[in-house]
Amino acid sequence: MNPKSIHDAKIAVVDDETANVQLLQRILKLEGYTDVSGYTDPREFLDTCRILPPDLVLLDLMMPEVNGFEVLKRFQESVDDFDYRPVMIITSDDDRDTKQKALSSGARDFLAKPVSPVEVRLRVGNLLQTRSLQLELQRHAERLEERVRSRTVELEEARLEILERLALAAEYRDDATGEHTRRVGRECAALAEALGLPSDQVEDIRRAALLHDVGKIAVPDSILLKQGSLAEDETEKMREHTTVGASILSGSRFPMMRIAEEIALHHHECWDGSGYPDGLKGDQIPLAARITSVVDVFDSLTHKRVYKRAWTTEEALDEIERLAGSKFDPVVVEVFLRMHGRVASPNASKPCEDDGKEAG
Ligand SMILES: [Fe+2]
């Protein structure tokens, strides 16, 4: 039914007397209603209304096969929005109890037999106007919901863009293109997927890994861009990028941000417990941080920085493989190597060494 016009409403007249059905159809058609179906067998009506439920039902109560109360009950069971599809009882039974029973069964109005055309037109018009307004309200609510949904998506996109820009700002001083950050996000997602993580976690890791070094904002250029080894206090300052990053990201209610906080804090932990800041060991290190750790080191090795040349892919893969079981989770390394077309050799492991310089 088009809420703008009640005259194309779908109306069903259910009465075992053919003459009554025809009279009501005639009155309604003369009033301009174009879709008025008549049923003398209520079972036929019930079969049809499951597929094409009417906007309004004019229902007789006293019928031999299935009485009006039973029809009302089954109609109610067969449609989801019974409350918005009015049923008007047409009966010669003026008994108060009957009316009360029909009302409590969900009927919305009564029409006494013999029917008056004026009364039929008035009551049908009123019931359909109400239904039309309810439909209009329903559509309005749906449009509002759609707007809220699309605004929520926009807000989410804006939030993610801000986070990405924050990550790029942290990366800017030693990689003005920001490509390291983006590559780490992409590779971490690919590795998480290869490890068999569910797709929503893969997407969270893709976004969260971008922020792994956000705490570098607090590291002075003199340390961040220094060529050669760092002094002890400089190493300490450099290592603080993990705790600073975690504190920037802490306290969020979004799962992705909680993963980002874990990654920022723990992406320099080592599988053998020799990493920082907390010296976590093995499975104590969150999986997302173990993934980011491998990807971050590999990407840093294979790209030039002011203090180092770019390693070849083969050299970097060798290094990752050697550090499996000491610096890195051996299972994560195995899957990472397979992603790069390699099979891990069984005894590759050397102690974790970290001079504080980012990713070796
Ligand atoms: Fe880092």
Side-chain angles (χ1 to χ4, degrees):
M1 173 181 169
N2 178 355
K4 299 268 186 280
S5 161
I6 62 169
H7 286 100
D8 61 6
K10 188 169 182 53
I11 303 174
V13 179
V14 188
D15 192 318
D16 60 314
E17 300 272 346
T18 307
N20 289 344
V21 170
Q22 286 175 343
L23 173 63
L24 284 165
Q25 281 184 301
R26 209 164 38 245
I27 295 169
L28 292 171
K29 282 185 178 167
L30 279 172
E31 185 63 12
Y33 294 102
T34 55
D35 188 353
V36 186
S37 307
Y39 302 88
T40 49
D41 184 343
R43 292 167 299 187
E44 192 192 335
F45 162 71
L46 288 168
D47 286 344
T48 312
C49 77
R50 276 190 202 97
I51 305 155
L52 286 169
D55 295 299
L56 169 67
V57 185
L58 277 61
L59 178 65
D60 183 24
L61 277 186
M62 312 292 275
M63 292 181 287
E65 304 293 348
V66 188
N67 73 37
F69 290 115
E70 185 62 23
V71 173
L72 195 55
K73 180 169 166 277
R74 291 203 217 161
F75 177 54
Q76 185 167 16
E77 288 163 357
S78 68
V79 292
D80 297 335
D81 54 351
F82 173 78
D83 289 344
Y84 299 125
R85 295 181 186 275
V87 176
M88 180 158 64
I89 300 296
I90 302 169
T91 180
S92 45
D93 186 350
D94 209 20
D95 178 59
R96 199 183 155 141
D97 288 347
T98 307
K99 284 187 169 181
Q100 190 53 48
K101 187 178 173 190
L103 275 180
S104 58
S105 304
R108 296 277 286 280
D109 203 352
F110 293 93
L111 203 57
K113 281 181 184 174
V115 296
S116 140
V118 175
E119 213 173 346
V120 171
R121 286 198 293 268
L122 186 71
R123 296 199 177 189
V124 164
N126 284 343
L127 288 173
L128 286 175
Q129 283 293 357
T130 307
R131 170 152 172 77
S132 162
L133 288 171
Q134 281 163 338
L135 284 176
E136 189 55 46
L137 271 177
Q138 196 179 333
R139 283 173 204 199
H140 185 62
E142 282 167 5
R143 280 196 294 272
L144 278 179
E145 259 176 49
E146 182 49 42
R147 276 175 63 184
V148 169
R149 255 197 303 276
S150 90
R151 287 287 160 87
T152 307
V153 169
E154 279 173 27
L155 275 175
E156 175 69 3
E157 282 170 357
R159 188 173 68 86
L160 293 173
E161 189 180 328
I162 289 166
L163 288 176
E164 189 172 345
R165 284 169 189 269
L166 181 64
L168 293 178
E171 195 68 38
Y172 185 77
R173 284 169 300 157
D174 61 346
D175 177 13
T177 66
E179 280 306 309
H180 168 71
T181 301
R182 293 199 180 95
R183 282 192 307 264
V184 168
R186 277 198 305 271
E187 272 286 288
C188 283
L191 182 51
E193 197 174 7
L195 279 158
L197 295 189
S199 59
D200 56 336
Q201 281 182 36
V202 169
E203 283 316 303
D204 281 347
I205 288 175
R206 181 194 308 280
R207 304 283 187 179
L210 290 175
L211 295 155
H212 66 284
D213 273 340
V214 72
K216 278 186 184 174
I217 278 176
V219 179
D221 281 355
S222 58
I223 298 174
L224 191 64
L225 304 177
K226 184 175 178 180
Q227 303 194 29
S229 300
L230 300 178
E232 200 174 320
D233 60 329
E234 292 171 330
T235 300
E236 265 320 297
K237 191 75 195 164
M238 182 62 128
R239 289 181 170 192
E240 280 175 13
H241 80 279
T242 53
T243 47
V244 170
S247 70
I248 290 172
L249 301 168
S250 68
S252 173
R253 63 192 171 90
F254 296 103
M256 188 280 273
M257 289 295 282
R258 287 202 291 270
I259 295 173
E261 183 186 348
E262 283 181 349
I263 292 175
L265 187 61
H266 296 303
H267 70 284
H268 287 283
E269 303 284 1
C270 291
W271 184 252
D272 62 8
S274 62
Y276 63 90
D278 294 330
L280 299 186
K281 201 171 183 177
D283 290 340
Q284 290 176 330
I285 309 165
L287 179 58
R290 282 180 265 150
I291 291 171
T292 309
S293 169
V294 171
V295 171
D296 183 31
V297 170
F298 177 77
D299 192 82
S300 301
L301 289 176
T302 50
H303 292 83
K304 189 174 176 299
R305 293 285 170 95
V306 289
Y307 48 81
K308 67 171 240 346
R309 69 172 176 90
W311 292 26
T312 66
T313 301
E314 287 309 306
E315 286 172 334
L317 288 175
D318 285 345
E319 182 69 356
I320 298 289
E321 189 173 2
R322 270 197 298 276
L323 295 172
S326 57
K327 185 174 178 65
F328 302 127
D329 176 347
V331 174
V332 172
V333 169
E334 191 185 328
V335 175
F336 184 75
L337 293 176
R338 219 181 301 138
M339 265 173 56
H340 286 270
R342 269 208 196 185
V343 179
S345 54
N347 298 318
S349 176
K350 79 168 191 182
C352 176
E353 290 163 4
D354 195 324
D355 62 359
K357 207 69 180 160
E358 272 291 85

